[in-house]
Amino acid sequence: RKEVEQDPGPFNVPEGATVAFNCTYSNSASQSFFWYRQDCRKEPKLLMSVYSSGNEDGRFTAQLNRASQYISLLIRDSKLSDSATYLCVGGGADGLTFGKGTHLIIQP
Amino acid sequence: DAGVIQSPRHEVTEMGQEVTLRCKPISGHNSLFWYRQTMMRGLELLIYFNNNVPIDDSGMPEDRFSAKMPNASFSTLKIQPSEPRDSAVYFCASSFGLVYEQYFGPGTRLTVT
């Protein structure tokens, strides 16, 4: 069974701090990895893809560690608007598997 | 650009009634996915289609659930008869293929009383 595991949190973080999440995946054949963001009572939205070499988009950095089968998301200088649930996604030719999400609360 | 469109956005029905959820994927996408999300179980994949053909329906909870994709721009998920435990948010998503990022519709919030 293909699984993607995440710490559900909640992570309570002061505004301006740096926060990091990890998630692990069980399917070693997974080729594609993503982070999605989901706000309360809204649909999941693509935050960023995760590339083997790691990638950065503004305050967000994603990393992939194939040897240990985990991906990570780092958020720098966190904003109140970063409060959301972050879903880790991995998969391949037979489809993507979504984690249950990590709940992040940025506190003023 | 139009994203994935779902209707209705909210549905309240009584146990035993038939419920039909509708989805219009993003034009040009050839993969379509139906998910169900609850607090307890998270986001569960129910079924997905590739080029209008159902590929994997192993996530469909039971025979009361059925899905169709008669053409590239429309899909339905039907529950008959509905039960209170079917209450959830149902999302439709589409993508260019199984390994690509998926784009979600706004969801249908189903309440079965």
Side-chain angles (χ1 to χ4, degrees):
Chain A
R1 181 180 172 187
K2 306 182 192 73
E3 292 186 342
V4 173
E5 301 286 345
Q6 297 181 249
D7 181 343
F11 284 50
N12 289 282
V13 174
E15 189 177 8
T18 295
V19 59
F21 315 131
N22 281 348
C23 97
T24 59
Y25 60 95
S26 63
N27 183 5
S28 59
S30 294
Q31 309 159 33
S32 303
F33 303 91
F34 308 96
W35 282 101
Y36 278 70
R37 171 194 169 124
Q38 186 172 22
D39 293 291
C40 187
R41 302 179 77 84
K42 298 285 190 181
E43 72 272 25
K45 291 186 177 178
L46 179 67
L47 178 64
M48 58 195 304
S49 302
V50 185
Y51 303 123
S52 296
S53 55
N55 50 298
E56 189 174 303
D57 183 2
R59 297 182 294 109
F60 298 83
T61 300
Q63 297 275 355
L64 167 63
N65 185 317
R66 285 195 181 275
S68 301
Q69 294 186 202
Y70 76 82
I71 70 173
S72 63
L73 177 68
L74 181 80
I75 306 174
R76 289 180 299 279
D77 187 24
S78 54
K79 312 290 185 192
L80 295 176
S81 57
D82 293 334
S83 298
T85 297
Y86 291 84
L87 306 173
C88 171
V89 185
D94 54 354
L96 301 181
T97 300
F98 283 74
K100 285 187 166 59
T102 296
H103 190 198
L104 174 65
I105 301 170
I106 305 300
Q107 297 176 326
Chain B
D1 287 343
V4 175
I5 298 172
Q6 290 187 247
S7 64
R9 295 292 304 276
H10 301 273
E11 177 81 32
V12 180
T13 191
E14 292 182 348
M15 183 173 63
Q17 297 298 305
E18 178 180 296
V19 175
T20 299
L21 311 181
R22 297 173 176 79
C23 175
K24 177 178 168 53
I26 292 172
S27 178
H29 282 186
N30 59 7
S31 297
L32 182 140
F33 308 82
W34 282 102
Y35 291 89
R36 177 172 68 178
Q37 187 174 42
T38 61
M39 288 291 292
M40 292 297 295
R41 300 171 70 96
L43 198 63
E44 300 174 278
L45 178 64
L46 301 176
I47 184 171
Y48 67 86
F49 296 82
N50 200 42
N51 293 321
N52 312 340
V53 176
I55 302 301
D56 184 355
D57 65 354
S58 60
M60 296 285 259
E62 47 198 272
D63 292 346
R64 298 183 298 105
F65 285 68
S66 63
K68 294 182 180 179
M69 191 166 186
N71 58 61
S73 59
F74 183 66
S75 177
T76 59
L77 178 68
K78 186 176 293 187
I79 308 172
Q80 165 65 19
S82 57
E83 296 182 3
R85 60 191 167 121
D86 301 331
S87 297
V89 181
Y90 290 80
F91 289 108
C92 174
S94 70
S95 75
F96 282 114
L98 297 179
V99 302
Y100 296 94
E101 61 271 26
Q102 297 174 17
Y103 294 87
F104 285 75
T108 295
R109 186 170 297 275
L110 174 65
T111 303
V112 183
T113 60

